[in-house]
Amino acid sequence: MRVLLAKSAGFCYGVERAVELAKKTAAERGGCVMLGDLIHNAQVIAELEALGVRRAESPADIRSGETVVLRSHGERRDVVEELESRGVRCVSAACPNVLRIQKLAAQAEREGRRAAIIGEPHHPEIRAVASYCADPLIFGGPEEAAAWLAEDPSRREIPITVTAQTTCIRELFETSVKILKKQCTNVKIFDTICNATHRRQSEAAEIAAQADAMVVVGDRRSANTKHLTEICNERCPRVLQIERADELSPDFFNGCSVAGLTAGASTPAGIIKEVYATMSEEIKTAENGEESFEELLNQSFKTLNTGEKVTGIVTAVGPTEVQVDVGAKQAAYIKASELSDDPNAKPEDIVKVGDEIEAYIVRVNDVEGYAELSKKRLDTVKVWENIEQAVEDKTIMEGVVTEVNKGGIVVSVKGVRVFVPASQSGMPRGADLSTMVKSKVQLRITEVNRARRRVVGSIRSVTDEARKAAQDEIWNNIEVGKHYTGTVKSMTAYGVFVDIGGVDGMVHISELSWSRIKTPSEVCKVGDTLEVYVISYDPEKRKISLGVKDRSINPWDVFMSKYHVGDVAKVRIVKLMTFGAFAEVVPGVDGLIHISQIADRRIEKPSDVLSEGQEVDAEIIAVDEEKKKISLSIRALLTPAAEEEAPADAE
């Protein structure tokens, strides 16, 4: 018996997006809330609750200031508005396809049309869509649509915009649309059935038509799972809908030669794998026998008849084959194509006469007295064994990225394709994974299924470990005054965070430059390389304070060596006060221009004449070395106004 597994079974894009968004929100905010079930799957809901996603039965259970992740089916507009009015932060995990239907319903109302939705009236998705228009029509199928029109013939003149629940059975939608198009004079049709749903339903129908028994996996509250079961029941005499693998029984598969398996959009891959494995075991039990390891090998290698591994001595090397003495009555040989995976390799480059060689027996012909061997297939098995061992030993392996795949990348490790999910690629979320193609990477093997020739790996686990080692190195050797070359990772109004080799340190804005600056962006940007030194650190809180200023240079000494009283300096206005303005003379040294020294006339306030950032010439009129204070004057450089001539005495 064989098991046919639907390729599109399991999480759709919308469900996967909702689950990941809930996990991310909980991690970033130290927990969050989901209103009702985020998706229809009890196991996933339990996992989310364990990660800090609290389940609320109603909006009243959500407190002001909390963050709520709105489910993938969408939420009613009045509920969202009520939550936001109470200070609840709403994060929508609604499927993009559901959001499209909501917009179409709202648009229909704005255009003076009536929205009609083909779907289940009490489903959360339909209730959410219906809230975006005043008086929607909801038809469960063609019979309800026909009945509504028959009640009042004048309804045929009403402008209608028709959409469908994303998980609606296509036949129901198309039959309903046919009736409405035929009888209504003004109807707009939007096929909003999810493409993934349509593929899943089509595959289920195709497999069910071939199977003697069909298993549908999914939550019993899930509409799309229920529809899959209905579709399968029409084509297969024996259909079982389950939520978990322990609901299977060997008796269900008695007399079956082909079994089918599909799953709803809210079913995690882990449950599908478990059911698939259990089905295989239950089928074996139903057939009253267990397959031996040799039989499994025979299934893996189609040309292998005996599967026996032998060791022999090379007796002759020819251009097309290699002869081997295996110590038996049959003569044995290996075709050149069965020596190596490299099609260009020549037999004489691989083996020589007298070499000992291991190979599989792929065929034995006792009548003609020869055995056909394969070294290539044995090498492949050894690679798989090494990879399986690498899972247990957590060995770091090396490979080359060969392609970008749906959801991740493919890495070739010793000729075996290893799938690395995007989340485990070590690249930031949303990054272009194609930049990794042809690059060498190190990874750990996390999952191996030899029967399905599926291998999953993680680059991130290796990079995270290397980063942790680098962090430990930093903390074990850090000391005040030690210099590092770092990279600006992020910026705030009060400073920048710099990566100094796996550990981020903070450079306060006051430590970025001797000059007075308002924002860090005036002197650096994200990605810049900075030479920094340690000012202080706290190993317990894992905080490091860094500086960029060159402490070997004393700005006051620079000023004193360059300027004296009476000199004129080009200064920059850095701060305006009621009593005057502070100006930078050299980086790190400011002087005061008193309000009386700004102009050759009386002014009300410094901003009447000066502005921050302005450069002006000023004379140094006094220096207090002890207090390190400087007095400046702009007025001293201005041409004195001509004295008014005294009037002649009247005679």
Side-chain angles (χ1 to χ4, degrees), residues 48 112 167 181 257 300 362 383 387 422 471 475 553 626 645:
L48 290 174
T167 56
K181 286 179 69 175
S257 59
S300 300
V362 296
V383 170
I387 286 179
Q471 291 174 345
W475 285 108
I553 300 175
E626 184 178 347
E645 293 182 3

Side-chain angles (χ1 to χ4, degrees), residues 219-485:
D219 195 288
R220 289 184 173 85
R221 298 168 298 166
S222 168
N224 71 82
T225 303
K226 183 180 72 175
H227 292 159
L228 288 175
T229 303
E230 293 170 358
I231 290 169
C232 292
N233 273 323
E234 294 176 358
R235 294 162 177 81
C236 183
R238 202 183 309 179
V239 179
L240 178 65
Q241 182 179 332
I242 63 174
E243 292 185 350
R244 300 177 305 277
D246 56 15
E247 297 178 46
L248 287 171
S249 168
D251 296 338
F252 179 72
F253 299 102
N254 284 336
C256 295
S257 59
V258 178
L261 173 60
T262 188
S266 299
T267 308
I271 292 181
I272 300 172
K273 289 179 182 179
E274 186 179 356
V275 171
Y276 182 84
T278 303
M279 282 179 67
S280 300
E281 293 301 318
E282 300 293 6
I283 288 169
K284 291 175 186 177
T285 304
E287 292 174 341
N288 297 317
E290 295 288 334
E291 291 178 294
S292 66
F293 177 70
E294 181 174 297
E295 288 171 333
L296 289 174
L297 281 178
N298 286 336
Q299 293 173 9
S300 300
F301 304 107
K302 296 178 181 179
T303 59
L304 190 63
N305 293 321
T306 64
E308 182 181 358
K309 183 172 69 174
V310 294
T311 301
I313 302 297
V314 177
T315 57
V317 178
T320 60
E321 65 180 37
V322 172
Q323 295 181 15
V324 182
D325 179 7
V326 295
K329 61 181 181 180
Q330 293 95 343
Y333 73 95
I334 305 174
K335 293 180 181 178
S337 60
E338 290 298 317
L339 272 173
S340 169
D341 278 319
D342 185 357
N344 299 317
K346 298 178 181 179
E348 61 267 25
D349 296 332
I350 301 172
V351 294
K352 294 178 174 57
V353 173
D355 285 353
E356 186 176 85
I357 189 169
E358 278 189 319
Y360 271 124
I361 300 175
V362 296
R363 187 172 58 168
V364 177
N365 189 326
D366 287 325
V367 177
E368 298 183 16
Y370 69 85
E372 185 178 336
L373 311 179
S374 173
K375 177 181 178 296
K376 178 174 71 175
R377 300 183 191 188
L378 180 59
D379 291 343
T380 300
V381 171
K382 286 182 177 180
V383 170
W384 279 94
E385 289 173 350
N386 290 340
I387 286 179
E388 287 175 333
Q389 189 63 41
V391 177
E392 296 182 12
D393 299 340
K394 297 183 178 180
T395 306
I396 296 177
M397 306 192 80
E398 190 169 274
V400 177
V401 180
T402 58
E403 63 182 272
V404 177
N405 208 336
K406 182 181 180 181
I409 58 176
V410 175
V411 180
S412 177
V413 178
K414 296 182 179 180
V416 175
R417 288 167 55 89
V418 179
F419 173 70
V420 178
S423 62
Q424 297 299 314
S425 67
M427 296 284 279
R429 187 180 181 87
D432 183 7
L433 298 182
S434 63
T435 58
M436 299 183 69
V437 174
K438 295 185 179 180
S439 63
K440 285 187 178 181
V441 294
Q442 289 187 321
L443 72 164
R444 278 197 176 91
I445 306 300
T446 58
E447 180 187 334
V448 177
N449 187 325
R450 197 194 297 197
R452 296 182 63 186
R453 302 187 73 79
R454 174 178 169 82
V455 184
V456 180
S458 170
I459 298 172
R460 179 180 169 183
S461 66
V462 177
T463 55
D464 284 357
E465 183 176 293
R467 184 174 179 84
K468 185 180 183 305
Q471 291 174 345
D472 291 341
E473 176 68 16
I474 293 287
W475 285 108
N476 289 337
N477 298 284
I478 194 169
E479 57 185 36
V480 173
K482 190 167 185 176
H483 286 253
Y484 294 93
T485 299

Side-chain angles (χ1 to χ4, degrees), residues 8 57 65 93 114 117 154-155 185 219 240 305 317 354 411 439 471 488 528 551 557 569 582 598 615 622 627-628:
S8 60
E57 294 293 339
R114 197 162 179 188
I117 313 162
S154 66
R155 290 174 175 171
T185 59
D219 195 288
L240 178 65
N305 293 321
V317 178
V411 180
S439 63
Q471 291 174 345
V488 178
D528 280 358
R551 294 292 177 179
D557 291 341
F582 286 97
I598 291 176
E615 289 189 348
K627 295 182 179 180
K628 295 184 178 179

Side-chain angles (χ1 to χ4, degrees), residues 139-152:
F139 300 132
E143 296 83 5
E144 294 181 21
W148 180 76
L149 290 169
E151 285 177 6
D152 184 355

